[in-house]
Amino acid sequence: MLNENKDMLKNAKHIHFIGIGGTGMYPIVQILAEKGYTITGSDRKESTNTIAEKKMGIKIFFEHKAENIDGADLVVYSAAVSDDNPELVAAKQKGIKIAERAEMLGLLTSWFENCICVCGTHGKTTTTSMITQILLDTGKDPTAFIGSKLPAIGGNGRLGKSDTMVCESCEFKDTFLHLYPDVALILNIDEDHLDYFKNLDNIIKSFREFAKMTRKTIIVNGDDENSLKAIEGLDKEIITYGIADKNDYYAENIKTDKLNQSYDLMYKGNKLCRINLSVPGKHNIYNSIGACAAAIISGVKPEEIPNALVNFKGAERRFQVLGENNGITIVDDFAHHPKEIEGTLNVAKNLGYKKVWAVFQPYTYSRMALLKDDFIKVLKIADKVVMTQIVSAREENIYNIYTSDFTKEIPNSCCFDSFEEITEYVMTHAEKGDLIVTMGGGDIYFCAKMLINYGK
């Protein structure tokens, strides 16, 4: 695949991105803009990403037209772009080189001698952010591709001067098989994207293919059975991590205090350092141990890690505390899978608030239909549940699934059509001392901002 794509940027000066505001596009745009390419793009509507890109001096069109690609040497498109998109059609007609987003990212990863690819069903963004934070704070100057904004780099992506890249690597539709990992960090493997993979066995096979591609080292969660299945028998250098002391890297003397937690980072029976985290939840202990292992094999000294990780306050939309409104605390989180929701709500319930409100935006019909019982079970953890209608994303509702199918089975739950209605309902019924957690993979963060600004 590299041989096919290695000349993708040859003689290219002007790159046009169709769907430039996407979370997978924005960091590529940042990296290539820093590299000196002229960038233009198009999207359906304004977003926080397009606003940031326009501040970078990038011209963005909010209507897809053939003339938008005028002057482009290369057109990059996301998987969500349909074959009849007028810009994509025009590029093919004019003989302009085209590349799918995953292909472009794959080319970028091939440029580096130490490309750390972070994969897993849950925790990719947080762990990629943690590694980036550690490498930055210890002077390693990495390039980074992250699925959310990291304050330390002012966005989702950055171009560094070293031979190290940290890359969030998504399994959806096998896009991570376009990448060129030197180090693969496998966090966990769970049922997701079943509209594509069909079953868990196929997901494990896909991760195994990714692990086979790794040129140097595989770092794997040794406490996760599915992850161990994926790398079983591979002739690679394998490092395990987890909480259990059977692993190479593990945690001892774990202490928790609401939003903060700490532990001794151990390596094969020896204490390396004491880690203090400013992000809550057992899942973040796992994420940080994996991040520490990746940093150490990249040349970071263990004693340098604590000062770097204590500066990590979380990536955007990862249990992001937005503040208080009339004594009610509002948190925003990307959780959109049952396991992620379970982790987020369990953290929330242990923080000592009077009631925990889950304001959930269901994302894709297939996920909601195929994991229906799991969603119902975990949403019951909250004291109150308020839901939006299901976001279709790229799908048609062939599953005949609706939000009402969930609210009728979840106690103290209801559904509204608009963020305005949700905001009005929640803020007139919540009480001082309550915690509201907005969750979902769509644009529910807009509702979080409306909640924090209600009545102001």
Side-chain angles (χ1 to χ4, degrees), residues 383-387 406-415 425:
D383 299 298
K384 303 279 188 178
V385 178
V386 181
M387 300 176 68
F406 296 85
T407 54
K408 68 185 180 184
E409 296 193 43
I410 300 171
N412 300 312
S413 68
C414 57
C415 172
Y425 176 82

Side-chain angles (χ1 to χ4, degrees), residues 258-259 280-283 319 321 329-333 340-359 378 381-384 433-439:
K258 292 191 175 180
L259 291 173
K282 185 178 180 181
H283 58 289
F319 212 87
V321 181
T329 302
I330 292 121
V331 166
D332 185 41
D333 197 275
E340 296 163 356
I341 292 170
E342 180 181 33
T344 295
L345 291 180
N346 279 334
V347 168
K349 290 285 284 187
N350 288 324
L351 294 179
Y353 290 93
K354 287 172 62 177
K355 289 188 178 68
V356 172
W357 291 69
V359 178
V378 298
I381 296 171
D383 299 298
K384 303 279 188 178
D434 286 357
L435 172 65
I436 301 169
V437 185
T438 56
M439 299 182 295

Side-chain angles (χ1 to χ4, degrees), residues 306-326:
N307 285 339
L309 265 185
V310 79
N311 291 329
F312 179 75
K313 308 300 181 184
E316 188 175 76
R317 301 212 64 221
R318 272 59 182 181
F319 212 87
Q320 184 181 11
V321 181
L322 299 180
E324 285 191 7
N325 186 350
N326 197 30

